[in-house]
Amino acid sequence: MLELIYPNVCGICEEIDKNSLCENCKSGLDTITVAKIDNYENKTDKFFNEHGYIFKYEGQIRKLLIDYKFNNKSYLYKTFASIILSNKKMVNFINNYEIIIPVPIHKKRFNCRGYNQSELLAREISRKLKNIQFLNKLLIKTENNVAQSTLTKEERVLNVKDIYKVKNNNLIKEKSIILLDDIYTTGNTVNECSKLLKKNGAREIGILTVSKD
């Protein structure tokens, strides 16, 4: 009923499209898709094994992500999910894991924005793939810290230190987890979250983002 009243639209051209991404716009995005998986298994300063992303953070994708995150275009989660799930390499990457967890935002920021962009995307991916469990509210952000984008590389490390906690670690013990965020810049946020998940018993962690800066 909701789709009859509020039909899905392509997040790029805003024409009605049941997949939230029309064929014309998909063809255009194919030319800038990188669909890359970076390996971090031998990096002693990283607590995750690999990072999969579909785009570089530039041009049209940068604008779309800024709109998604800051300009109240929450419906774009469907478009980003459609892009990710139409790429076989990304689907195979996701299917290597058992659980998908979104990077959390603080409740004050959630109340201001009205949604967590990573939560919407992680939920949709889990709903479409079905074989990966979506866990929300397991990873909690306890401090409303300064936005990472406003800080230097050195400041970003300290800005995310010890500001997350895990609730009910029995759900993740010996599990393989995908941690989902929208943008990967220095990786400090996902690394801090990964460290905490590992400390609480997670066996293996991969990072999935829409883009990498």
Side-chain angles (χ1 to χ4, degrees), residues 18-19 39 66 133-134 168 195:
K18 65 178 181 178
N19 296 316
N39 190 293
I66 288 172
Q133 182 185 5
F134 170 70
N168 195 1
K195 180 174 74 172

Side-chain angles (χ1 to χ4, degrees), residues 21-80:
L21 180 67
C22 73
E23 285 301 317
N24 284 338
C25 291
K26 183 180 182 301
S27 296
L29 290 177
D30 285 345
T31 63
I32 58 173
T33 296
V34 294
K36 192 174 180 183
I37 299 169
D38 294 336
N39 190 293
Y40 289 91
E41 287 186 355
N42 297 321
K43 300 286 186 179
T44 57
D45 60 334
K46 302 297 184 187
F47 293 90
F48 51 91
N49 301 80
E50 53 185 351
H51 170 218
Y53 55 98
I54 198 96
F55 298 113
K56 294 294 290 181
Y57 184 59
E58 58 191 16
Q60 182 183 29
I61 297 304
R62 183 178 184 276
K63 182 183 182 303
L64 283 172
L65 282 169
I66 288 172
D67 281 344
Y68 178 43
K69 194 170 183 175
F70 300 114
N71 295 332
N72 203 33
K73 293 190 177 183
S74 59
Y75 60 86
L76 282 170
Y77 79 90
K78 289 188 176 181
T79 299
F80 287 127

Side-chain angles (χ1 to χ4, degrees), residues 84 94 100 121-129 180 208:
I84 291 169
I94 296 167
I100 188 166
L121 185 51
R123 188 190 300 274
E124 181 72 0
I125 288 172
S126 176
R127 187 178 76 84
K128 289 291 181 68
L129 289 183
L180 185 142
L208 175 64

Side-chain angles (χ1 to χ4, degrees), residues 9-174:
V9 298
C10 173
I12 297 171
C13 69
E14 299 189 351
E15 293 293 326
I16 293 175
D17 188 274
K18 65 178 181 178
N19 296 316
S20 301
L21 180 67
C22 73
E23 285 301 317
N24 284 338
C25 291
K26 183 180 182 301
S27 296
L29 290 177
D30 285 345
T31 63
I32 58 173
T33 296
V34 294
K36 192 174 180 183
I37 299 169
D38 294 336
N39 190 293
Y40 289 91
E41 287 186 355
N42 297 321
K43 300 286 186 179
T44 57
D45 60 334
K46 302 297 184 187
F47 293 90
F48 51 91
N49 301 80
E50 53 185 351
H51 170 218
Y53 55 98
I54 198 96
F55 298 113
K56 294 294 290 181
Y57 184 59
E58 58 191 16
Q60 182 183 29
I61 297 304
R62 183 178 184 276
K63 182 183 182 303
L64 283 172
L65 282 169
I66 288 172
D67 281 344
Y68 178 43
K69 194 170 183 175
F70 300 114
N71 295 332
N72 203 33
K73 293 190 177 183
S74 59
Y75 60 86
L76 282 170
Y77 79 90
K78 289 188 176 181
T79 299
F80 287 127
S82 182
I83 292 168
I84 291 169
L85 296 177
S86 66
N87 187 282
K88 289 183 180 180
K89 187 175 184 179
M90 288 295 106
V91 171
N92 289 337
F93 170 72
I94 296 167
N95 280 333
N96 287 329
Y97 295 86
E98 301 167 275
I99 294 170
I100 188 166
I101 296 175
V103 169
I105 61 176
H106 191 267
K107 60 183 179 181
K108 287 184 179 179
R109 195 163 296 175
F110 183 92
N111 291 338
C112 180
R113 187 178 298 164
Y115 58 94
N116 175 359
Q117 70 282 354
S118 297
E119 176 189 334
L120 294 178
L121 185 51
R123 188 190 300 274
E124 181 72 0
I125 288 172
S126 176
R127 187 178 76 84
K128 289 291 181 68
L129 289 183
K130 301 184 186 304
N131 61 331
I132 184 165
Q133 182 185 5
F134 170 70
L135 285 183
N136 193 31
K137 309 302 183 187
L138 180 135
L139 189 59
I140 306 294
K141 190 172 185 179
T142 58
E143 293 183 27
N144 191 25
N145 63 333
V146 176
Q148 289 284 84
S149 59
T150 65
L151 302 175
T152 65
K153 185 176 180 179
E154 292 74 20
E155 289 171 334
R156 291 183 186 206
V157 177
L158 295 176
N159 191 47
V160 295
K161 187 174 175 59
D162 299 327
I163 65 169
Y164 298 96
K165 71 175 183 179
V166 168
K167 297 179 69 174
N168 195 1
N169 60 1
N170 288 326
L171 295 175
I172 61 171
K173 285 185 176 177
E174 292 304 313

